Amino acid sequence: MNQATTAATPTSNSTRWLRWANLAFMLYLLLLAVSMVGSGFKIATGEQAKVLFEFASHPIAGLMIGLVATALIQSSSTVTSIIVGLVAGGLPVTVAIPMIMGANIGTTVTNTLVSLGHVRCNTEFKRAFASATIHDFFNLLAVLIFLPLEMMFGIFEKVSHWLVSPMLSTGDVSMGGLNFIKPITKPVVSAIQDPLMQFGNVTGGVLLIVLGIATIFIAITVMGKLMKSLMVGRAREILKNAIGRGPIHGIVSGSIVTVLVQSSSTTTSLMVPLVGTGTLKVRDVYPFTLGANIGTCITGLLAATAVSGEYAIFALQIALVHLVFNVFSTIFIFGIPFLRELPIKGADYLSDMAIKNKAVVAGYLASIFVVIPGTILALTA
C-alpha cells in the first residue's frame, strides 16, 4: 500500500507541474494574442480609425457591443482582453469604457443558465435562479447609475487617468522602460504578421486581429480549465470558510476565488447549486458575486502588460477602468442600504415569476441579451 502511494506521488506531482507549465504557456499566448489584436488594428485601420469608431462612439451602442459580445463568447475576460488590444491599436478610451461596462452585464448570462439545472424542482429553482440573477440586477444597476455619470463627468476616465499619470509625468507614454513582455512577444507577432502583409494592409491586419481574437479565446478557455483543475478545490475551501464572516470577507473571498480560477463564471457557478439545494442563502452569496466582478479584472490588467507603443498607457488605463468601475460599484451600491437591497428584491421578484411560468426565463434572457441590445444597435447604426 505504501509502495503504491509512493509510486503515485511522483506521477501526481509531475502532472501538477505539467499543468502549471501549460498555464504559464497559456498566459504567454494571451499576452501574445493581445499584441496581435493591437498590431492588426493599427495596420488595418491606418488613418481610417476615426471612421470605424463613429459607430461605437455613442455610449449606449458601445455598452450593447460589450454586452452582446460577452453574452456570445461567455467570457468577460476574453472580451476585456480584446478591448485592451483594440485600445492598444488606437480605440479611444472614452469609446471603450461603455464596452467594458457592457461586458460586465454580458457575463451574467452564464450563471443564469447554470440555474436551469434546478428547473425540475420549483423550490430549488427559485433559490438558484435568484442567486444567479442577483448578479444580473447588480450589474444592471451599476450601469444605470454610473454610465450616465460617466457620460456627464467622465469619472472613470479621469480616475484611471490619474492612476496612470505617474507614467505620463515621465514624458514616456509607451511604457517601454516598464514593459518586460515586449521582448518575448514582438518577435513572434512580427513572424506571424509578415506573411499576412502579402494580402495587403487591410486584409492582413484583419487576419491578424482574427488570429489574435481566436488565440485569446483559446488561451483563456484553456487557462480557465487548468485553473479549475488546480484551484477549484482550494476555491471551494475559501468559499466554505468565508460563510458567516461578514460581507467584506465575502467580497474579498469572491475576488480571491475568481483570481484563482480566472473566471467569474466559475465563481458564480460554484455558488448557484449551493443556494439551489438550500445549503446557502442568496444573501450569503451576494458579496461573493461582487467579489467575482472585482477578481475578473486581473485578466485585463495582465493583458495590458503585453502592450507597447504610443497607446500602451491607454491600454493599461482601460484595464484600470474595469477595476475602478467594479470597485466603485461595490462600494457605492453595497455601501448604501437602500441600493444594496434592490438587486435582492429584483432577483426575488423575477424568481417568483419564473416558477409560476417558465417562459419568463426565456423571455428574460432573450430581452436582456438579444432583443434590447439588438434593437438599440439597429437604431444607433
Side-chain angles (χ1 to χ4, degrees), residues 95-339:
V95 175
I97 289 174
M99 295 182 185
I100 289 288
M101 293 183 177
N104 247 36
I105 298 173
T107 194
T108 61
V109 70
T110 308
N111 45 328
T112 304
L113 294 174
V114 169
S115 70
L116 297 179
H118 298 268
V119 74
R120 292 182 180 179
C121 175
N122 278 348
T123 304
E124 286 192 12
F125 181 60
K126 174 178 166 51
R127 292 190 295 243
F129 192 63
S131 71
T133 53
I134 197 171
H135 197 188
D136 302 27
F137 281 104
F138 179 87
N139 286 342
L140 285 167
L141 180 60
V143 168
L144 285 173
I145 292 171
F146 285 106
L147 181 59
L149 291 174
E150 180 64 26
M151 291 168 65
M152 290 186 288
F153 306 111
I155 295 173
F156 299 119
E157 185 176 6
K158 290 175 181 176
V159 171
S160 59
H161 183 272
W162 175 75
L163 290 172
V164 299
S165 59
M167 298 177 192
L168 289 169
S169 64
T170 64
D172 178 16
V173 297
S174 69
M175 292 172 63
L178 300 174
N179 197 332
F180 56 90
I181 300 296
K182 182 179 177 180
I184 61 174
T185 58
K186 188 175 181 180
V188 180
V189 173
S190 297
I192 297 170
Q193 175 183 316
D194 291 343
L196 296 177
M197 289 303 98
Q198 64 181 317
F199 299 106
N201 284 356
V202 175
T203 304
V206 170
L207 288 173
L208 192 60
I209 292 171
V210 171
L211 282 174
I213 291 174
T215 306
I216 287 173
F217 185 77
I218 292 168
I220 289 181
T221 300
V222 177
M223 279 174 67
K225 290 180 179 178
L226 288 169
M227 290 299 282
K228 285 177 191 177
S229 66
L230 290 165
M231 293 294 185
V232 162
R234 178 62 179 152
R236 285 200 184 101
E237 192 65 26
I238 292 172
L239 183 64
K240 181 181 177 182
N241 291 338
I243 297 302
R245 295 193 178 185
I248 294 177
H249 196 280
I251 292 168
V252 172
S253 298
S255 301
I256 293 171
V257 167
T258 306
V259 170
L260 288 176
V261 299
Q262 280 290 288
S263 170
S264 59
S265 299
T266 300
T267 304
T268 52
S269 296
L270 285 170
M271 296 184 291
V272 169
L274 293 174
V275 177
T277 55
T279 305
L280 299 176
K281 296 179 181 178
V282 174
R283 286 184 182 274
D284 292 331
V285 300
Y286 186 12
F288 287 93
T289 299
L290 311 188
N293 276 351
I294 296 170
T296 197
C297 300
I298 189 69
T299 308
L301 290 168
L302 285 172
T305 65
V307 179
S308 60
E310 60 180 318
Y311 296 112
I313 202 75
F314 303 114
L316 177 60
Q317 186 179 351
I318 195 61
L320 287 170
V321 164
H322 193 199
L323 177 63
V324 172
F325 169 57
N326 282 312
V327 171
F328 274 33
S329 299
T330 299
I331 293 172
F332 187 76
I333 296 174
F334 200 78
I336 298 175
F338 166 70
L339 293 176

Side-chain angles (χ1 to χ4, degrees), residues 8-31:
T9 302
T11 304
S12 177
N13 287 339
S14 62
T15 302
R16 191 172 181 82
W17 279 112
L18 182 61
R19 287 175 180 171
W20 279 111
N22 286 337
L23 182 64
F25 179 66
M26 287 302 120
L27 177 58
Y28 170 73
L29 277 187
L30 172 63
L31 300 175

Side-chain angles (χ1 to χ4, degrees), residues 44-58:
T45 59
E47 299 299 320
Q48 304 302 315
K50 290 184 179 179
V51 177
L52 294 176
F53 297 151
E54 285 178 0
F55 171 68
S57 61
H58 194 287

